[in-house]
Amino acid sequence: MSLDTVLSRIDSDLDAATERLLDLLRIPSVSTDPAYKEDCDKAADWLVSELQALGISAEKRPTPGHPMVVGHVDGDGPHLLFYGHYDVQPVDPLELWDTPPFEPAIEDTPKGKVIRGRGSSDDKGQLMTFVEACRAWIAVHGKLPCKITFFFEGEEESGSPSLVPFMEENAKELGADIALICDTGLFESSVPAITTQLRGLLGEDFTITGPSRDLHSGMYGGIAMNPIRVLTRILAGLHDETGAITLPGFYDDVPELADEIRAQWQGLNFDHESFLGDVGLKSPAGEQDRTPLEMIWSRPTCDVNGIWGGYTGDGFKTVLPSEASAKVSFRLVGQQDPDKIRKAFRNYLEDNLPEGFTVEYRTDKGAPASQMSIDDPAFEKARKALSDEWPRPAAYVGCGGSIPIAGYFKEILGMDSMLIGFGRDDDQIHSPNEKYDLESFHKGTRSWARILDELSKG
Ligand SMILES: [Zn+2]
């Protein structure tokens, strides 16, 4: 069987593949710090030559920031685009690292062998799982099983300033049937995951003003309306006693979970008590009629992230402040429209301001949620492939945060994304002592080989 030969090739090549990854990890491609500009360039060059060595036409493409790496392989079957990023987070605080962040090594730990070093999990190790799967495939078959575009970015950890313009300018070249994004994690060490829904985000930063100047409560207390009292009343009214958000129309565009997804999530046996217990909490704060996984993956939220006003220094000052401010954010799901939610919030706020009060907003634009359509057979094929490789079946999961790239692929290139990754919760990405389990690297590579095989079958 041809797939088996590819898998055996991956097994026998593991040491060499690991050495190649260590090579890439030695390049300190920290994108946010200009001191590492040349290193980012070097990492891009390294990837170009790796792809070229596989017979893939690849090049480094300039942007106003760090370069993109784009490669193409022609072939039959579906056209896949693979995305990963070669830049890494800064290493500070350096003194908390047990080993130098850019002198990666294989380390024995009680949980097995790990690759230690900055970028090992986020995202160089993950990116290389795909490259190594392609290498094995080419070694065995002389070519890849389908048409593939490789797209590596060098600014993911610094806000991707060049990404949207680059995608817009090269939309025709980058368009494919579906994108594969390898920058997420396993659900658990034995359960692989395909992330199919990502929440969007909307923020509101505002100040309400009542009296024209700060007042003394000895003189005005009782007759003057205190903006902090107004603000806290308004913020407290955003949730009802069941944990639901009260803005009119807020849930209009929130879909119910598909039965199949609901069943899968139930099967994951998520331990919310230990999830909350880890941060010193006991009971879930979301809508009472929802499961804990729904609360973090598929339900929208509203949170007050900051609140300030009046006198907060030492001692006491019996001030009635002129103004009070807050930052409120919403995680959005389904088809919730950031503009519509913003309008509902502002209407609610302004309807509840006392006469004579004013409000001033300082806010960016919001981002809608991404929801992949798992009706595309590619999702079930990938899920089967992952389930064949790992001890337990793969699950479609949600992600409480936002991964903007998936939204851009949809918006600019019109394609859905499959977010598949092999990171683990304890990888310490963005922190000292980042690691990637050798097993993640090995089984991740094997997983991609299986996924390529499944996807290329008509
Ligand atoms: Zn990443």
Side-chain angles (χ1 to χ4, degrees):
M1 241 294 284
S2 58
L3 174 64
D4 288 339
T5 328
V6 176
L7 296 176
S8 328
R9 170 77 193 192
I10 290 170
D11 297 345
S12 62
D13 197 38
L14 179 63
D15 287 346
T18 310
E19 282 306 319
R20 285 186 287 268
L21 171 57
L22 295 186
D23 253 0
L24 177 60
L25 292 174
R26 284 186 196 100
I27 306 172
S29 46
V30 180
S31 58
T32 194
D33 185 343
Y36 296 95
K37 188 170 180 2
E38 273 178 30
D39 294 299
C40 290
D41 223 52
K42 208 171 139 190
D45 284 331
W46 190 94
L47 285 166
V48 167
S49 63
E50 280 299 300
L51 293 181
Q52 285 175 347
L54 298 182
I56 296 163
S57 74
E59 52 181 13
K60 191 170 72 173
R61 303 276 285 271
T63 76
H66 302 301
M68 305 283 176
V69 172
V70 181
H72 297 286
V73 175
D74 220 357
D76 309 325
H79 182 184
L80 313 175
L81 176 136
F82 178 83
Y83 166 91
H85 63 91
Y86 65 77
D87 63 318
V88 299
Q89 282 273 322
V91 298
D92 323 73
L94 186 57
E95 64 276 13
L96 294 186
W97 285 79
D98 298 328
T99 52
F102 296 112
E103 293 173 28
I106 309 296
E107 201 179 296
D108 271 312
T109 76
K111 289 187 192 165
K113 284 190 193 312
V114 304
I115 304 161
R116 182 84 62 190
R118 173 55 90 228
S120 53
S121 176
D122 185 15
D123 183 42
K124 289 172 174 172
Q126 303 239 65
L127 178 160
M128 288 304 287
T129 56
F130 190 80
V131 174
E132 294 299 343
C134 291
R135 186 192 311 277
W137 200 285
I138 291 168
V140 171
H141 295 288
K143 63 180 179 114
L144 287 166
C146 48
K147 184 171 175 175
I148 301 180
T149 296
F150 298 79
F151 183 35
F152 303 145
E153 186 197 356
E155 300 182 325
E156 200 274 345
E157 303 290 6
S158 49
S160 299
S162 310
L163 183 64
V164 168
F166 187 85
M167 284 172 65
E168 282 171 344
E169 273 162 39
N170 300 283
K172 202 154 178 269
E173 180 186 350
L174 294 173
D177 296 323
I178 196 159
L180 307 172
I181 300 175
C182 191
D183 199 13
T184 49
L186 301 165
F187 176 73
E188 271 172 22
S189 57
S190 58
V191 185
I194 303 176
T195 304
T196 59
Q197 40 193 36
L198 303 157
R199 292 196 289 198
L201 186 62
L202 167 68
E204 282 281 49
D205 176 343
F206 62 94
T207 297
I208 61 169
T209 304
S212 57
R213 60 185 169 82
D214 285 359
L215 307 174
H216 187 287
S217 71
M219 179 93 78
Y220 288 92
I223 193 168
M225 179 53 87
N226 182 338
I228 297 179
R229 178 171 148 197
V230 174
L231 180 68
T232 50
R233 177 173 48 76
I234 289 172
L235 297 178
L238 285 166
H239 294 87
D240 68 16
E241 61 288 349
T242 70
I245 292 150
T246 55
L247 296 179
F250 186 75
Y251 292 100
D252 284 357
D253 303 307
V254 176
E256 274 307 320
L257 273 189
D259 291 342
E260 186 196 349
I261 301 274
R262 184 183 303 280
Q264 272 190 29
W265 289 7
Q266 266 155 10
L268 292 172
N269 296 321
F270 176 61
D271 181 356
H272 74 271
E273 280 172 6
S274 91
F275 183 76
L276 285 175
D278 283 349
V279 294
L281 292 173
K282 282 204 169 1
S283 48
E287 299 157 87
Q288 279 166 18
D289 55 345
R290 298 291 166 174
T291 65
L293 273 186
E294 283 180 274
M295 290 179 193
I296 53 177
W297 285 348
S298 66
R299 299 298 294 174
T301 71
C302 168
D303 270 298
V304 181
N305 306 114
I307 172 166
W308 66 102
Y311 181 73
T312 56
D314 286 342
F316 242 94
K317 186 175 167 191
T318 52
V319 64
L320 288 177
S322 160
E323 40 178 63
S325 305
K327 288 178 195 282
V328 176
S329 66
F330 298 87
R331 294 277 174 188
L332 307 178
V333 305
Q335 288 74 44
Q336 280 184 304
D337 174 357
D339 293 332
K340 189 175 151 194
I341 302 296
R342 189 191 303 286
K343 208 158 160 234
F345 174 75
R346 289 185 177 183
N347 285 343
Y348 161 74
L349 171 62
E350 289 163 30
D351 286 349
N352 283 282
L353 284 182
E355 232 178 310
F357 270 57
T358 56
V359 55
E360 185 202 329
Y361 302 100
R362 300 166 292 273
T363 313
D364 298 341
K365 83 189 227 332
S370 306
Q371 181 133 17
M372 312 308 159
S373 159
I374 57 168
D375 299 340
D376 180 339
F379 281 84
E380 267 307 300
K381 288 179 177 178
R383 200 165 77 85
K384 176 184 183 304
L386 286 165
S387 304
D388 287 346
E389 175 63 26
W390 293 80
R392 288 170 54 199
Y396 293 128
V397 304
C399 173
S402 308
I403 301 182
I405 182 85
Y408 299 145
F409 281 149
K410 184 80 193 173
E411 218 174 287
I412 303 169
L413 305 179
M415 60 183 168
D416 273 335
S417 301
M418 282 201 276
L419 295 111
I420 297 170
F422 311 100
R424 299 182 192 206
D425 289 346
D426 63 355
D427 280 354
Q428 306 184 80
I429 62 169
H430 300 198
S431 302
N433 301 318
E434 180 176 348
K435 62 90 176 154
Y436 198 43
D437 289 73
L438 194 62
E439 188 192 38
S440 283
F441 183 56
H442 183 198
K443 289 177 88 65
T445 304
R446 289 172 52 101
S447 298
W448 285 122
R450 291 180 185 275
I451 291 169
L452 288 180
D453 183 50
E454 282 295 329
L455 292 182
S456 63
K457 290 179 191 163

